[in-house]
């Protein structure tokens, strides 16, 4: 089983299909390219930190032009970023970005690996990164990836020599790669890994530099290039009609959640790699110089090489099946190799080539895309040979119990469909990304099954083995069970087959704020994983909170159907926070996880089970004013968050901003990066400033200093900088303890800055006119104090507030202090007793 799982990672034929998960149907020229790759025995590993860091031009070049096994090791799965195509963030975004990398690799021909490091958000320095990641564990995972993949060449995306000039994750990826290069062949390092793999020494390590790393093209022209290799990656592939940069662009365009659609170019395209470790090749264009990349590399390989070079030379584009007898002869010889590493790789490659030459199509499909453990599903098993090769289908096996003897001769172009029933094992694990099954730390995923470390995704739950005899040699093919259906618009759609629990449940609101001690109703949605579920639901809650009723019955007759239950939650009198979790009892089982299906056309449908938790917060909060106007920016959760604490929020369209609209509101809040994204605001600034002057209250959240749509974001001089405080625990010093914003209606203290998440804030102004009063001071370790995070100015009869504090992150996390401080910002000028 382990061997099967390992080889499913390899991907021989590249694919330009629009929809993910479609089976491969290689063309005659794709088969020829695969044969050339079969005759190359060399490997390149590209190393960086995030999905999108990788240089797809180089990966595609090494995979498609050089024909090397090429892989990208991304230390993280990119959970920390923003999502441009849907609502998924954090873990679910990491799942999407993992699949986007796999989609990119299906196009550029690379493989994909990860470590257990979590993308916890922006980090200024590798020291911080490596303190939050478990450095030893990440290094161990990099070493493991190298020992398993056995690259001859490693290429780092980032420079290890300039900490502090880019994201700390970036520099860390290069530093760890170099450290791993030096210890990977040392058997005393991570000796437990040697039970499943061997020590290995890559020959060279490079840094994929460019003029950008030199500050300017002029500096790069003048730089010493002794250790630099130049590679022209702008090659053209007649077999696909595409240039290498065009393939690279198609690959990069899979990073759709990041909006990295990219257009390819044609013509010469230089890439530069700087030697960091190992010896400089004499022949500078050949990074593999001194490494035998032919079949002679391995003991017993020469004879195989002789057969396969003849296959390549005599390949008949009009009749690929003519190559089958010689390919089968080579397959048999490969089975006798003592080098298990290359034997595994080349066995998988040649099997795929033999199947492709025979027009052999094998598929195991189910009548549904998910089922529960213990249930029965209908299967369709399809096998067809479209050549004159002698092929016999001997049997079909499934480790779960199916074993069908056939001994059926597969005649040219005769389709064989077998209908079967399969009972899923009662103890079959549910499908979910393996790195999310246990709660990790801020910087690390927790993975208990060590065999899964490094793998891009959880192995498929159900696979079928088709045992064939091809030209008198037994060859088996392993196929994962899939679901296929016809969509009236998209046509044939494939989905992975998944095992789901009998029931899953979630509370509709992820954060529920109680601004007084009055009770609130919460809605629990229960979803059935099979027909006829019958049980009851309870809600787990902190001791000082109460939930009524204690339990409620749930009956659902159809799989996939949902039921809605209302529970009443009663908060304590004092400020308090905690988590509530719905627990669905069915028979002796208790289900506490929420099921999310992620569906996009560019990646296979993802089924994710995460702990079903909603945060409940009893806030000690007072508010002044009632009607808040909100002008949307790049997207935050201001309206729903303020409604949670009792405000009425109306969203104002930019074209509707006028004196009469604004005057009806107690305060106006501008969404994050509105001055970067909303063109119309440049015509509305005067109306907003006039509103303030006449006694209004305007709160502007962070913008970046680049591509501002207005000349002035404030009625007074205010210069936005790149200052940010990324440590969410950084000390916050109150500069103006008597200021209204820290006292009315809520007394703000250091306690209000506890429990913040991801960061304090970003893009703080660093210069402002004297009308502004800086309220807070904070800084990351080793930096000078930054006092631009919250600036308040009196303008006419009203108040203008500019804040780079990360309310957009703290509100969804239910951080009490963020709500209390924001309520004070909204209340400025409404204190009848005193004014500043
Ligand atoms: Zn990055």
């Amino acid at each position: 089983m382990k061997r099967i799982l390992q080889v499913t990672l390899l991907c021989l034929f590249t694919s330009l299909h629009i929809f993910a998960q479609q089976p491969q149907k290689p063309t005659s020229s794709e088969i020829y390219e695969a044969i050339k790759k079969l005759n190359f025995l060399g490997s390149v590993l590209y190393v960086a930190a995030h999905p999108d860091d990788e240089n797809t031009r180089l990966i595609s070049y090494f995979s498609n032009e050089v024909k090397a096994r090429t892989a990208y090791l991304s230390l993280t799965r990119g959970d920390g970023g923003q999502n441009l195509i849907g609502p998924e963030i954090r873990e679910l975004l990491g799942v999407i970005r993992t699949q986007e990398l796999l989609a990119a690799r299906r196009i550029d021909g690379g493989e994909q690996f990860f470590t257990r490091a979590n993308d916890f958000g922006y980090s200024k320095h590798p020291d911080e990164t490596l303190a939050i990641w478990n450095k030893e564990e990440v290094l161990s995972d990099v070493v493991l990836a190298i020992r398993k993949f056995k690259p001859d060449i490693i290429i780092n995306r980032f420079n290890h020599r300039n900490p502090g000039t880019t994201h700390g994750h970036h520099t860390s990826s290069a530093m760890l790669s170099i450290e791993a290069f030096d210890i990977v062949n040392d058997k005393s390092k991570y000796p437990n890994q040697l039970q499943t793999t061997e020590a290995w020494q890559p020959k060279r390590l490079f840094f994929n530099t460019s003029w950008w790393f030199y500050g300017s093209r002029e500096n790069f022209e003048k730089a010493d290039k002794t250790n630099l290799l130049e590679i022209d990656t702008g090659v053209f592939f007649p077999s696909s009609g595409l240039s290498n940069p065009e393939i690279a662009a198609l690959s990069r365009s899979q990073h759709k959640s990041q909006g990295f659609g990219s257009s390819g170019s044609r013509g010469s395209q230089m890439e530069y790699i700087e030697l960091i470790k190992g010896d400089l090749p004499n022949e500078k264009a050949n990074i593999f110089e001194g490494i035998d990349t032919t079949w002679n590399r391995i003991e017993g390989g020469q004879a195989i090489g002789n057969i396969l070079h003849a296959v390549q030379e005599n390949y008949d584009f009009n009749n690929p099946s003519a190559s089958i007898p010689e390919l089968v002869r080579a397959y048999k010889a490969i089975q006798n190799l003592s080098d298990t590493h290359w034997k595994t790789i080349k066995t998988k490659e040649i099997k795929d080539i033999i199947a492709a030459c025979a027009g052999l199509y094998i598929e195991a499909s189910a009548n549904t895309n998910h089922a529960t453990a213990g249930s029965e599903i209908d299967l369709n098993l399809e096998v067809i040979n479209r050549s004159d090769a002698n092929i016999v289908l001997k049997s079909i096996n499934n480790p779960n119990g199916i074993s069908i003897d056939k001994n059926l001769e597969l005649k040219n172009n005769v389709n064989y469909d077998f209908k079967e029933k399969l009972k899923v094992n009662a103890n079959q694990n549910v499908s979910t990304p393996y790195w999310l099954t246990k709660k990790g730390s801020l910087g690390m995923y927790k993975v208990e099954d060590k065999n899964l470390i490094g793998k891009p995704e959880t192995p498929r739950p159900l696979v079928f083995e088709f045992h064939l005899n091809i030209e008198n040699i037994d060859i088996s093919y392993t196929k994962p069970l899939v679901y296929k259906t016809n969509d009236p618009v998209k046509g044939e759609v494939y989905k992975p087959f998944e095992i789901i629990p009998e029931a899953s449940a979630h509370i509709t609101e992820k954060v529920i704020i109680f601004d007084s001690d009055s009770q609130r109703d919460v809605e629990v949605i229960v979803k059935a994983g099979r027909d006829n579920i019958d049980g009851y639901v309870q809600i787990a809650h902190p001791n000082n909170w109460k939930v009524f009723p204690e339990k409620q019955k749930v009956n659902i007759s159809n799989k996939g159907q949902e039921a809605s239950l209302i529970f009443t939650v009663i908060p304590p009198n004092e400020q308090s926070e905690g988590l509530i979790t719905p627990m669905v009892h069915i028979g002796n089982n208790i289900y506490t996880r929420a099921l999310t299906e992620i569906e996009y056309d560019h990646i296979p449908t993802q089924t994710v089970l995460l702990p079903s938790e909603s945060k409940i917060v009893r806030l000690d909060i007072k508010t002044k004013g009632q009607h808040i106007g909100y002008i949307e920016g790049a997207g935050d959760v201001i309206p729903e968050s303020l409604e949670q604490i009792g405000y009425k929020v109306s969203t104002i369209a930019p074209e509707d901003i006028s004196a009469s609209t604004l005057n009806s509101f107690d305060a106006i809040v501008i969404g994050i990066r509105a001055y970067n994204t909303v063109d119309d605001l440049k015509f509305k600034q005067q109306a907003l400033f006039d509103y303030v002057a006449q006694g209004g209250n305007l709160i502007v959240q962070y913008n970046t200093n680049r591509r501002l749509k207005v000349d002035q974001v404030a009625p007074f001089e205010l210069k936005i900088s790149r200052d940010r405080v990324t440590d969410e625990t950084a000390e916050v010093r109150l500069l103006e303890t008597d200021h209204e914003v820290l006292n009315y209606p809520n007394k703000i203290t250091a306690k209000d800055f506890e429990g913040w998440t991801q960061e304090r804030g970003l893009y703080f102004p660093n210069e402002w006119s004297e009308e502004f009063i800086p309220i807070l001071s904070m800084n990351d370790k080793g930096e000078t104090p930054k006092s631009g995070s919250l600036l308040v100015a009196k303008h006419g009869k009203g108040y203008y507030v500019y804040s780079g504090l990360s309310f957009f992150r703290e509100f969804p996390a239910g951080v009490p202090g963020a709500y209390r401080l924001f309520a004070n910002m909204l209340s400025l000028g409404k204190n009848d007793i005193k004014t500043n």
Side-chain angles (χ1 to χ4, degrees):
M1 191 68 181
K2 213 168 90 198
R3 194 181 63 85
I4 295 165
L5 299 180
Q6 192 185 339
V7 296
T8 51
L9 298 178
L10 307 174
C11 166
L12 183 61
F13 299 104
T14 55
S15 154
L16 303 176
H17 288 133
I18 302 164
F19 297 115
Q21 201 66 22
Q22 301 270 25
Q24 289 175 334
K25 296 169 183 172
T27 65
S28 181
S29 35
E30 284 167 346
I31 299 171
Y32 179 65
E33 296 301 319
I35 293 170
K36 289 204 284 190
K37 192 157 190 149
L38 185 60
N39 282 324
F40 190 92
L41 285 79
S43 312
V44 178
L45 181 66
Y46 199 87
V47 180
H50 305 117
D52 83 354
D53 287 344
E54 83 276 24
N55 181 341
T56 54
R57 286 188 300 275
L58 266 186
I59 291 175
S60 175
Y61 175 83
F62 285 117
S63 176
N64 297 307
E65 172 68 10
V66 180
K67 302 292 181 198
R69 294 174 67 231
T70 310
Y72 173 38
L73 172 62
S74 174
L75 299 198
T76 77
R77 296 173 186 267
D79 308 39
Q82 293 178 30
N83 181 0
L84 296 185
I85 56 170
E88 300 86 0
I89 55 166
R90 298 301 314 163
E91 294 93 339
L92 295 177
L93 181 59
V95 171
I96 291 176
R97 292 202 173 159
T98 296
Q99 290 298 327
E100 289 181 338
L101 279 178
L102 288 169
R105 299 295 82 80
R106 279 192 286 275
I107 289 168
D108 61 35
E111 296 174 45
Q112 184 61 51
F113 307 112
F114 293 92
T115 74
R116 285 170 288 173
N118 192 335
D119 175 8
F120 56 82
Y122 193 80
S123 169
K124 288 177 182 168
H125 199 277
D127 289 350
E128 184 204 5
T129 302
L130 295 172
I132 294 177
W133 287 349
N134 181 327
K135 190 208 156 186
E136 270 304 295
E137 282 187 5
V138 184
L139 179 61
S140 149
D141 290 0
V142 175
V143 168
L144 181 67
I146 297 171
R147 283 174 174 172
K148 280 188 166 174
F149 186 72
K150 300 189 172 39
D152 299 306
I153 305 296
I154 293 176
I155 302 177
N156 290 346
R157 165 76 277 188
F158 296 105
N159 192 349
H160 60 290
R161 292 161 296 201
N162 58 355
T165 60
T166 175
H167 199 321
H169 297 178
H170 291 165
T171 315
S172 299
S173 74
M175 292 164 65
L176 291 172
S177 170
I178 289 172
E179 198 170 338
F181 185 94
D182 290 335
I183 61 170
V184 64
N185 203 29
D186 180 346
K187 289 182 179 164
S188 71
K189 304 289 189 213
Y190 309 109
N192 289 342
Q193 292 179 2
L194 300 173
Q195 291 165 6
T196 53
T197 182
E198 303 94 43
W200 173 259
Q201 185 56 57
K203 193 162 172 73
R204 299 186 176 101
L205 185 147
F206 296 94
F207 156 46
N208 181 193
T209 188
S210 80
W211 67 264
W212 188 85
F213 288 95
Y214 289 76
S216 71
R217 287 179 195 275
E218 291 75 47
N219 288 356
F220 184 62
E221 291 300 316
K222 285 182 271 173
D224 172 18
K225 298 198 183 58
T226 319
N227 280 336
L228 239 54
L229 272 66
E230 270 180 70
I231 302 169
D232 187 353
T233 60
V235 293
F236 172 64
F237 300 110
S239 55
S240 61
L242 296 171
S243 70
N244 185 62
E246 285 175 325
I247 294 176
L250 289 170
S251 168
R252 186 150 184 85
S253 298
Q254 298 306 302
H255 291 300
K256 295 187 193 300
S257 69
Q258 315 205 53
F260 281 164
S262 161
S263 303
S265 61
R266 289 155 293 280
S268 175
Q269 175 104 53
M270 298 316 277
E271 286 289 339
Y272 298 90
I273 55 174
E274 179 191 348
L275 184 81
I276 305 292
K277 293 263 173 186
D279 61 328
L280 199 65
N282 292 321
E283 187 195 330
K284 273 184 115 183
N286 180 14
I287 62 165
F288 285 103
E289 194 214 56
I291 302 165
D292 191 347
T293 56
T294 72
W295 279 98
N296 295 339
R297 175 175 196 156
I298 49 176
E299 195 189 329
Q302 193 174 10
I304 299 167
N306 290 341
I307 302 171
L308 290 176
H309 280 290
V311 168
Q312 183 178 326
E313 221 139 88
N314 303 326
Y315 182 72
D316 182 351
F317 283 82
N318 290 314
N319 181 22
S321 71
S323 300
I324 293 175
E326 286 302 285
L327 284 167
V328 167
R329 198 155 76 89
Y331 170 84
K332 199 177 163 188
I334 289 170
Q335 301 321 295
N336 294 327
L337 288 173
S338 54
D339 183 323
T340 54
H341 176 67
W342 283 109
K343 178 180 160 185
T344 308
I345 293 159
K346 293 300 171 186
T347 295
K348 162 72 174 141
E349 287 185 17
I350 198 168
K351 274 168 57 175
D352 286 352
I353 292 169
I354 292 168
C357 285
L360 191 61
Y361 186 84
I362 305 173
E363 184 175 277
S365 60
N367 64 336
T368 173
N369 66 324
H370 32 53
T372 52
S375 63
E376 192 175 70
I377 46 175
D378 291 323
L379 300 178
N380 188 63
L381 306 171
E382 180 185 351
V383 186
I384 185 168
N385 164 25
R386 288 161 298 178
S387 73
D388 285 328
N390 293 311
I391 305 182
V392 175
L393 171 63
K394 295 176 73 181
S395 64
I396 304 170
N397 281 78
N398 160 267
N400 284 51
I402 282 199
S403 178
I404 316 157
D405 282 340
K406 289 288 179 193
N407 274 323
L408 185 70
E409 196 182 320
L410 300 177
K411 299 202 181 73
N412 189 348
N413 211 27
V414 177
N415 197 34
Y416 297 94
D417 266 320
F418 311 111
K419 307 278 179 213
E420 299 286 344
K421 286 195 185 297
L422 176 76
K423 192 166 160 66
V424 180
N425 272 348
N427 56 1
Q428 181 81 43
N429 284 338
V430 293
S431 327
T432 194
Y434 70 85
W435 60 95
L436 299 178
T437 54
K438 289 278 175 308
K439 214 177 181 73
S441 62
L442 174 63
M444 297 300 295
Y445 296 116
K446 188 170 178 188
V447 179
E448 280 181 345
D449 181 351
K450 298 280 174 268
N451 290 317
L452 293 172
I453 291 172
K455 287 186 193 296
E457 55 184 344
T458 310
R460 299 280 81 225
L462 294 182
V463 294
F464 286 82
E465 282 161 21
F466 292 76
H467 301 289
L468 305 181
N469 183 283
I470 302 176
E471 298 292 347
N472 294 318
I473 299 286
D474 288 343
I475 302 181
S476 298
Y477 291 90
T478 304
K479 296 285 170 182
L481 185 61
V482 294
Y483 169 65
K484 67 174 176 179
T485 183
N486 189 65
D487 179 281
V489 175
K490 296 173 185 167
E492 191 174 52
V493 174
Y494 277 81
K495 285 184 181 186
F497 175 85
E498 311 283 14
I499 306 294
I500 56 168
E502 291 177 292
S504 52
H506 68 277
I507 294 167
T508 46
E509 290 172 285
K510 291 299 282 176
V511 175
I512 309 160
I513 308 281
F514 295 74
D515 57 353
S516 70
D517 55 8
S518 23
Q519 61 190 43
R520 284 186 56 180
D521 287 347
V522 301
E523 184 185 26
V524 177
I525 305 286
V526 180
K527 191 172 185 178
R530 61 163 171 83
D531 290 346
N532 300 319
I533 65 161
D534 182 7
Y536 65 95
V537 180
Q538 285 183 303
I539 293 192
H541 58 84
N543 283 336
N544 55 340
W545 292 65
K546 295 192 174 67
V547 176
F548 288 102
E550 203 177 307
K551 53 173 90 167
Q552 290 191 57
K553 283 195 166 178
V554 63
N555 295 297
I556 306 177
S557 37
N558 296 311
K559 172 181 167 183
Q561 209 179 328
E562 292 179 341
S564 156
L565 305 173
I566 304 292
F567 286 86
T568 300
V569 178
I570 303 166
N573 283 324
E574 67 285 6
Q575 185 151 316
S576 168
E577 54 188 288
L579 296 171
I580 51 174
T581 295
M583 305 193 296
V584 186
H585 297 250
I586 297 173
N588 292 326
N589 297 321
I590 304 174
Y591 299 96
T592 58
R593 286 194 281 181
L595 184 142
T596 306
E597 276 192 277
I598 303 173
E599 296 204 59
Y600 293 102
D601 283 344
H602 67 302
I603 58 172
T605 301
Q606 296 297 298
T607 302
V608 187
L609 284 161
L610 288 174
S612 185
E613 291 172 341
S614 288
K615 187 168 181 184
I616 44 173
V617 182
R618 164 72 170 97
L619 265 183
D620 176 13
I621 192 169
K622 295 187 197 76
T623 60
K624 269 279 176 180
Q626 237 203 333
H627 295 275
I628 309 296
Y630 172 65
I631 297 165
E632 209 173 356
D636 53 36
V637 292
I638 288 289
E640 49 271 55
S641 303
L642 297 187
E643 278 164 9
Q644 291 246 24
I645 53 172
Y647 286 103
K648 287 200 171 62
V649 183
S650 308
T651 298
I652 309 169
E655 61 271 24
D656 295 337
I657 296 172
S658 67
S660 61
T661 331
L662 298 175
N663 286 336
S664 63
F665 293 104
D666 295 315
I668 301 289
V669 180
I670 300 195
I672 57 167
R673 296 209 311 279
Y675 289 114
N676 298 122
T677 54
V678 184
D679 284 311
D680 278 358
L681 284 184
K682 63 171 165 273
F683 308 116
K684 303 294 182 179
Q685 276 301 71
Q686 200 51 53
L688 288 163
F689 296 160
D690 290 347
Y691 159 76
V692 176
Q694 285 154 30
N697 184 352
L698 178 65
I699 295 169
V700 180
Q701 298 182 88
Y702 93 91
N703 290 275
T704 65
N705 51 8
R706 282 212 199 159
R707 288 188 281 272
L708 274 174
K709 309 267 184 194
V710 291
D711 300 330
Q712 273 292 337
V713 294
F716 312 107
E717 189 72 29
L718 182 71
K719 210 172 137 217
I720 299 169
S721 76
R722 295 179 62 83
D723 286 351
R724 62 200 291 170
V725 175
T726 58
D727 179 357
E728 69 273 22
T729 65
E731 183 201 357
V732 177
R733 296 169 293 270
L734 310 181
L735 298 176
E736 296 288 333
T737 47
D738 293 335
H739 195 281
E740 195 178 347
V741 78
L742 293 181
N743 292 285
Y744 180 79
N746 303 292
K747 174 83 185 159
I748 300 298
T749 66
K751 197 169 180 304
D752 290 296
F753 294 96
E754 289 172 7
W756 283 50
T757 178
Q758 193 149 340
E759 63 192 351
R760 288 289 188 203
L762 65 176
Y763 295 103
F764 299 158
N766 62 350
E767 282 176 39
W768 48 81
S769 68
E770 59 188 10
E771 286 85 355
F772 281 105
I773 300 174
I775 306 294
L776 307 172
S777 167
M778 59 188 77
N779 54 275
D780 277 323
K781 212 167 67 193
E783 296 191 353
T784 56
K786 308 284 181 277
S787 53
S789 67
L790 177 58
L791 298 167
V792 181
K794 190 104 189 14
H795 176 48
K797 293 186 224 156
Y799 285 90
Y800 175 96
V801 181
Y802 191 94
S803 181
L805 292 170
S806 294
F807 294 104
F808 70 106
R809 294 196 197 281
E810 313 311 321
F811 285 167
V815 175
Y819 281 91
R820 284 163 47 85
L821 178 59
F822 208 88
N824 282 14
M825 289 155 61
L826 293 170
S827 306
L828 278 168
K830 294 172 180 58
N831 185 350
D832 317 324
I833 304 155
K834 83 175 189 45
T835 49
N836 258 84

